[in-house]
Amino acid sequence: MTLAALAPVQQQFDIRPLSDALGAEVVGLDLTAPVSNDAFARLHRAHLQHHVLVFRDQRITPAQQVAFSARWGPLQRHVLHQFALPEQPEVLIVSNIVENGKPIGLGDAGVFWHSDLSYKDKPSLGSFLHAQELPAEGGDTLFANQHTAWHELPAELARAVQGRLAEHSYLKVYAELQRRSPWRPDLSPEQIAAVPTTRHPIVRTHPENGRKALFVSEHFTTRVIDLPDDESAALLQALFAHSTQERFIYRHRWLPGDMVFWDNRSVLHLAAGCPDDQRRRLFRTTIEGDKPI
Ligand code: SIN
């Protein structure tokens, strides 16, 4: 046997930037096969650099999605366990499909800008979303770069948020979401107890790349600690408007087989929505991150 035959097979794939704001596509990597340590290290660097990775043309099973996601850290389960995939409860079904009068998934996940699970003490490091069924029209996901948003924050706002904490709550817009989507279930007392409010720095330091990022969102951030209500509301509105400007955004137009992996520590995201008569179904896995500092 030659030495070449003993050498580990190099996994060949390309990483191509998608926009000036953020994002890169990973082309030519088949995630049904084990990812070598070298390939994983390259993906890790690319994720830190581009914040959103789009793995094209993936034909993986939910179990394979869970296994690949778990290489990045422990998986988190969503409080709406009604929408977990029965055979793979770490997978959240994101879907607008109603079958026999019942929603099969969370149809309005992401209708407000947010960072996943920021209402937890340890919010999400990142999330994977794998396309299962895509609408012919719409259904895009938008990502906004919060490192750049921080970097370009006007000096007056930067001074106003210096050293401040903000409160995050899963319940902030829950009633509003139920009003818009009457199928959204009432939360049980156990579910409410599982999502107490938490506090995080408004400007966090990314634990891996060391860069600062804004960390507030219209979906989950309720108030700035130690500010009067009117000042807190005005400051948050200014931050929400600043952080989601067009120049910070990459708009992902889904292709069949896409699996997108974003960094919740450096981007906000938003589901743009699609017409009600168009079916959309994706599988999400979410990885636990650090307590923001
Ligand atoms: C989410 O916010 O996790 C879902 C995003 C989407 O459906 O595009």
Side-chain angles (χ1 to χ4, degrees):
M1 191 179 290
T2 64
L3 274 181
L6 288 171
V9 179
Q10 288 286 325
Q11 283 175 307
Q12 304 290 337
F13 56 91
D14 289 334
I15 296 175
R16 303 176 188 150
L18 282 164
S19 81
D20 288 343
L22 54 85
E25 60 179 353
V26 179
V27 181
L29 180 65
D30 176 3
L31 292 175
T32 61
V35 174
S36 69
N37 289 341
D38 283 351
F40 186 81
R42 195 172 156 215
L43 294 172
H44 187 195
R45 285 194 299 276
H47 193 240
L48 291 177
Q49 181 182 351
H50 299 288
H51 318 296
V52 175
L53 294 182
V54 179
F55 296 85
R56 297 289 191 196
D57 207 19
Q58 299 301 324
R59 309 286 151 185
I60 55 172
T61 63
Q64 287 169 329
Q65 178 175 345
V66 166
F68 183 59
S69 305
R71 284 194 66 178
W72 301 81
L75 300 188
Q76 293 171 303
R77 293 190 187 187
H78 198 275
V79 64
L80 289 180
H81 46 71
Q82 295 94 324
F83 300 130
L85 192 66
E87 64 275 23
Q88 208 71 61
E90 302 89 346
V91 172
L92 175 74
I93 305 170
V94 173
S95 180
N96 62 355
I97 299 170
V98 177
E99 273 169 7
N100 304 320
K102 283 184 69 180
I104 66 161
L106 193 53
D108 58 1
V111 297
F112 295 108
W113 283 102
H114 67 289
S115 170
D116 287 328
L117 279 50
S118 75
Y119 50 85
K120 286 184 166 285
D121 281 347
K122 286 184 170 181
S124 165
L125 174 157
S127 305
F128 282 90
L129 200 55
H130 186 211
Q132 307 293 315
E133 278 185 75
L134 295 173
E137 198 185 319
D140 301 345
T141 309
L142 278 61
F143 297 94
N145 188 329
Q146 296 308 291
H147 290 312
T148 323
W150 161 249
H151 190 66
E152 297 189 15
L153 193 66
E156 190 188 339
L157 281 177
R159 268 194 304 277
V161 300
Q162 188 73 38
R164 289 208 177 268
L165 299 174
E167 182 184 79
H168 294 239
S169 170
Y170 180 67
L171 304 179
K172 178 186 175 192
V173 293
Y174 203 86
E176 166 65 11
L177 289 172
Q178 280 190 310
R179 199 183 55 72
R180 294 177 181 210
S181 313
W183 51 263
R184 208 175 231 271
D186 288 337
L187 294 169
S188 68
E190 292 74 25
Q191 285 172 314
I192 293 173
V195 287
T197 60
T198 190
R199 294 172 176 195
H200 297 306
I202 292 177
V203 184
R204 70 179 292 183
T205 303
H206 193 292
E208 294 190 88
N209 67 21
R211 296 173 63 195
K212 289 186 173 181
L214 276 180
F215 195 62
V216 289
S217 73
E218 59 178 358
H219 196 148
F220 296 129
T221 311
T222 49
R223 67 190 176 99
V224 179
I225 305 300
D226 290 336
L227 273 191
D229 287 352
D230 54 344
E231 283 181 42
S232 162
L235 180 53
L236 286 181
Q237 282 312 318
L239 294 173
F240 299 158
H242 170 81
S243 59
T244 55
Q245 291 176 83
E246 197 61 39
R247 67 183 186 281
F248 305 143
I249 291 176
Y250 160 65
R251 182 181 197 104
H252 185 64
R253 296 182 171 85
W254 290 86
L255 295 176
D258 277 356
M259 183 161 76
V260 177
F261 178 34
W262 63 88
D263 189 333
N264 280 304
R265 304 162 299 184
S266 54
V267 302
L268 294 177
H269 63 285
L270 174 82
C274 68
D276 287 344
D277 63 348
Q278 303 263 324
R279 289 167 68 96
R280 185 174 188 268
R281 185 166 61 94
L282 306 99
F283 289 164
R284 192 178 99 182
T285 38
T286 309
I287 299 138
E288 185 178 80
D290 299 297
K291 189 168 171 47
I293 50 170

